[in-house]
Amino acid sequence: MLNEFKEIVKEKVKEIQQEVYLKDEILEKIVALFLSLKNDRFPGKKPPKGLLFYGPPGTGKTLLMKTLAKKLNLSDPIMIRGPEIISQYYGKSESRLRQIFALAKERAEEENLAIIFIDELDSLAPSRDLTKGELEPRLVGQLLSLMDGLEREISKGNVVVIGSTNRPEALDPALRRPGRFDLEIEFDPPDADQRKEILKILLNNYVKGRYENINLDEIADQTIGFTGADLLQLLNESLLQAVLKSRDFITQEDLLHAKNSVKPSALREFHIEKPRDRSNEIKDKEIIDRIMQVAEGFSRKPHFKPILLTHELLFSDKIASTIAFMVCQRLHCPYLVVRATWFRTRWFGEMERSIRKLFEKINRLQPCIVYIKNIDAIASFGNEHIHGAILELLDNLNNFSDNNTKVLLLCSTKDKDKLDQEIKTYLKELI
Ligand SMILES: Nc1ncnc2c1ncn2[C@@H]1O[C@H](COP(=O)(O)OP(=O)(O)O)[C@@H](O)[C@H]1O
Ligand SMILES: [Mg+2]
């Protein structure tokens, strides 16, 4: 019996993977959960009431939910969008939520399982400490009490709430406690192998038979930072290119060409840029020599090399771009530009998390060149607000240095004397 169930799960996972790419382990868990709930055979005592899908936009959260419902023959999920509940039903938002839950309960009693899908959950249930509005705290409270009430009020069957968000840290923490959104599923931007799998799916589903001589490995390698949605846009763009050339199939060239007009969304905050040789704007012979020395050293043997650029900011941009240009000519590695001031606009507590995310990303992209502009925005001393950011930064610098991570890290600052002392021990080499 158990073996039979396992086989069915495996089979369904394969079917789902024809439409949406997600790792086997994750899919197996979700499929097993929904199948057992649907057949009223959940092995434990208390099935999870809520699932949280989180990750950047365009990574397949909505697609997975729709595909699950279709392939597992679940009844149509009741879909709500956070922003819609807030604006469209203004003044009636709470009663609208109650209606939805009432509908779901009816359905669960008839069909064993009902799913509520709340897209952009963060807009409906932001952390109550952070919002200034009056409505949102009431809505969070309403959602919590509706979820808590499910058990008591349902005589038969289960209601599962799936919430989707790209800002999990902005959610009210109460939502993430046991008995609410119990099961969290992370949707990462795909790496090269995963991009290849997604491309296969998209080509098969949208471009069937209308492509020739495509080298998927090359496309996957060259689409760093692309999400599934970006890859779909890449295909659409290529189809358009082909039509403009009066062809009814796409080629490798179309894809490579289209790549220039699609910007990878996973890296929007941290732009991958094309470095330019700006040595003619620098002129100073001594600086040019240093630039060549650094570029040469890193290209020959990539290693962790942090450098502080201490000139006028616009001048530091030129230095960074020129170093990156020289390295990229030999290593063909990405050049990531980050504005440290961007972290300052984050929600409270999100600054640390964003910094951690950035370093995780850098780690995945290595060997690479990273240029953090205005590092003082997150690393100057005597500012309580950024104390956490400094610790996070130190932690990551330490880690990169211990593991000799292959990163050429360029940081610029207006005023090096303002930097935190410990940060300075990592950034003591100057240009
Ligand atoms: N993991 C994936 N596998 C296959 N296609 C994907 C994947 N992620 C995104 N896509 C493509 O991008 C489209 C938009 O994704 P969507 O599910 O709306 O993203 P999200 O809800 O995470 O913002 C999908 O309809 C699909 O064509
Ligand atoms: Mg979505």
Side-chain angles (χ1 to χ4, degrees):
M1 196 62 185
L2 271 178
N3 263 339
E4 196 185 320
F5 184 69
K6 207 165 125 193
E7 285 308 311
I8 296 175
V9 169
K10 286 229 152 90
E11 203 176 293
K12 289 291 175 192
V13 165
K14 289 250 149 54
E15 264 184 50
I16 291 167
Q17 281 172 335
Q18 309 269 314
E19 314 227 340
V20 42
Y21 177 78
L22 211 68
K23 289 194 201 98
D24 288 355
E25 315 90 88
I26 300 180
L27 265 183
E28 275 171 18
K29 195 154 93 176
I30 304 178
V31 168
L33 170 69
F34 281 108
L35 278 183
S36 61
L37 286 178
K38 182 181 165 224
N39 301 321
D40 217 2
R41 285 217 305 261
F42 185 75
K45 212 171 171 192
K46 271 194 186 170
K49 274 187 232 160
L51 266 65
L52 186 66
F53 288 2
Y54 69 96
T59 46
K61 298 183 289 297
T62 307
L63 178 65
L64 173 65
M65 199 270 321
K66 289 189 172 161
T67 311
L68 272 175
K70 191 170 75 183
K71 298 284 180 183
L72 303 185
N73 298 320
L74 311 175
S75 59
D76 284 343
I78 305 169
M79 305 269 284
I80 36 179
R81 287 188 50 245
E84 207 171 272
I85 288 272
I86 289 193
S87 57
Q88 198 172 331
Y89 298 96
Y90 196 84
K92 286 185 242 140
S93 308
E94 288 148 292
S95 65
R96 175 76 189 137
L97 267 186
R98 286 195 295 271
Q99 273 173 13
I100 288 165
F101 272 74
L103 176 66
K105 275 184 264 181
E106 259 174 48
R107 209 179 269 183
E109 282 166 7
E110 282 162 21
E111 308 182 23
N112 259 341
L113 175 63
I115 301 173
I116 300 175
F117 185 77
I118 310 181
D119 213 353
E120 298 181 60
L121 177 65
D122 48 285
S123 62
L124 185 140
S127 182
R128 282 171 287 190
D129 296 341
L130 298 177
T131 51
K132 291 178 202 83
E134 280 175 31
L135 175 64
E136 291 88 348
R138 288 201 331 248
L139 277 175
V140 181
Q142 179 68 82
L143 181 62
L144 289 174
S145 80
L146 284 167
M147 286 180 81
D148 291 345
L150 281 173
E151 249 165 323
R152 263 180 288 116
E153 293 160 19
I154 271 192
S155 56
K156 190 175 154 289
N158 286 290
V159 174
V160 177
V161 187
I162 304 179
S164 153
T165 178
N166 47 42
R167 308 174 58 228
E169 58 285 329
L171 288 179
D172 195 286
L175 286 172
R176 300 175 80 178
R177 286 202 201 111
R180 276 89 180 246
F181 290 91
D182 294 293
L183 192 59
E184 301 195 349
I185 310 226
E186 180 163 16
F187 287 66
D188 265 333
D191 64 18
D193 291 338
Q194 295 165 343
R195 290 196 295 275
K196 187 175 167 187
E197 294 307 316
I198 295 176
L199 279 164
K200 277 189 207 159
I201 294 174
L202 294 175
L203 280 171
N204 196 35
N205 293 345
Y206 297 111
V207 203
K208 202 160 197 152
R210 286 181 293 153
Y211 56 92
E212 266 176 27
N213 297 326
I214 285 184
N215 177 349
L216 282 184
D217 287 303
E218 189 187 12
I219 305 296
D221 276 339
Q222 298 218 2
T223 44
I224 292 166
F226 278 56
T227 60
D230 296 330
L231 292 172
L232 180 63
Q233 205 193 329
L234 180 79
L235 289 186
N236 285 335
E237 193 70 38
S238 316
L239 283 165
L240 191 67
Q241 308 259 359
V243 168
L244 289 175
K245 291 180 193 146
S246 312
R247 265 194 273 108
D248 57 3
F249 58 92
I250 58 175
T251 63
Q252 187 77 351
E253 284 66 44
D254 294 327
L255 285 168
L256 291 173
H257 191 71
K259 212 200 90 202
N260 298 326
S261 46
V262 180
K263 197 164 175 191
S265 55
L267 294 166
R268 241 162 235 166
E269 301 121 15
F270 319 127
H271 303 270
I272 294 255
E273 278 185 23
K274 211 178 176 146
R276 282 191 297 133
D277 180 5
R278 302 181 69 176
S279 50
N280 60 338
E281 298 170 64
I282 295 172
K283 295 197 179 82
D284 188 322
K285 174 86 175 49
E286 235 170 87
I287 297 180
I288 297 274
D289 282 348
R290 279 287 284 137
I291 289 177
M292 297 206 338
Q293 190 192 6
V294 168
E296 170 68 23
F298 187 77
S299 312
R300 203 173 338 113
K301 190 168 186 296
H303 56 293
F304 181 52
K305 180 130 186 109
I307 294 179
L308 189 64
L309 307 176
T310 57
H311 300 268
E312 201 38 67
L313 282 176
L314 288 178
F315 194 68
S316 290
D317 289 356
K318 293 175 190 169
I319 298 176
S321 175
T322 307
I323 296 179
F325 176 82
M326 291 182 174
V327 174
C328 288
Q329 271 192 321
R330 292 180 48 182
L331 280 188
H332 304 289
C333 61
Y335 173 46
L336 200 60
V337 178
V338 186
R339 284 172 186 74
T341 41
W342 176 82
F343 293 105
R344 294 291 292 272
T345 62
R346 304 281 78 199
W347 293 70
F348 184 72
E350 251 185 87
M351 198 161 34
E352 287 89 327
R353 204 185 128 92
S354 306
I355 292 173
R356 201 174 321 135
K357 283 257 161 202
L358 168 67
F359 277 84
E360 279 167 18
K361 206 162 274 178
I362 296 174
N363 200 17
R364 261 182 265 148
L365 290 178
Q366 63 161 317
C368 61
I369 307 149
V370 182
Y371 175 35
I372 305 185
K373 293 169 78 144
N374 274 106
I375 182 93
D376 41 298
I378 49 171
S380 54
F381 68 81
N383 181 341
E384 262 180 55
H385 294 298
I386 59 170
H387 186 63
I390 292 181
L391 292 180
E392 188 62 51
L393 203 54
L394 280 172
D395 209 29
N396 284 292
L397 287 171
N398 198 5
N399 191 10
F400 272 21
S401 143
D402 281 354
N403 295 309
N404 200 15
T405 309
K406 299 184 176 74
V407 175
L408 177 54
L409 180 67
L410 308 168
C411 303
S412 68
T413 177
K414 303 195 273 281
D415 190 352
K416 69 173 192 302
D417 298 327
K418 275 203 195 136
L419 290 189
D420 174 86
Q421 282 301 328
E422 267 188 277
I423 299 274
K424 260 202 249 175
T425 61
Y426 288 96
L427 300 174
K428 51 181 183 283
E429 200 171 325
L430 310 180
I431 294 186

